[in-house]
């Protein structure tokens, strides 16, 4: 299990964080999602590198590309 924090400049409010959480929680292998709209970060607990790839693709699809 790995925890990664993504900085996502497109996050502008709590609704953004909520939609990201909803989408990422659907991704298989994702264990936990947290977010902070003030800091524009999303923290994800996930199982494998494959899961990380899907997380990144999902964020990009949602127009919330992480900046790292
Ligand atoms: Cu928003």
């Amino acid at each position: 299990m790995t925890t990664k924090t993504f900085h996502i400049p497109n996050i502008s409010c709590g609704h953004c964080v909520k939609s990201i959480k909803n989408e990422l929680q659907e991704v298989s292998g994702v264990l936990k999602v947290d977010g902070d709209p003030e800091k524009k970060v999303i923290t994800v607990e996930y199982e494998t590198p494959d899961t990380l790839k899907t997380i990144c693709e999902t964020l990009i699809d949602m127009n919330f590309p992480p900046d790292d």
Side-chain angles (χ1 to χ4, degrees), residues 2-43:
T2 314
T3 303
K4 184 169 168 62
T5 299
F6 300 90
H7 182 244
I8 302 175
N10 284 359
I11 290 177
S12 57
C13 70
H15 289 112
C16 300
V17 169
K18 199 175 278 180
S19 15
I20 292 170
K21 281 174 82 169
N22 286 343
E23 284 294 320
L24 292 187
Q25 275 159 357
E26 303 279 303
V27 173
S28 127
V30 168
L31 307 172
K32 196 175 167 209
V33 188
D34 266 313
D36 184 338
E38 308 270 304
K39 294 180 183 156
K40 301 179 189 286
V41 296
I42 294 285
T43 301

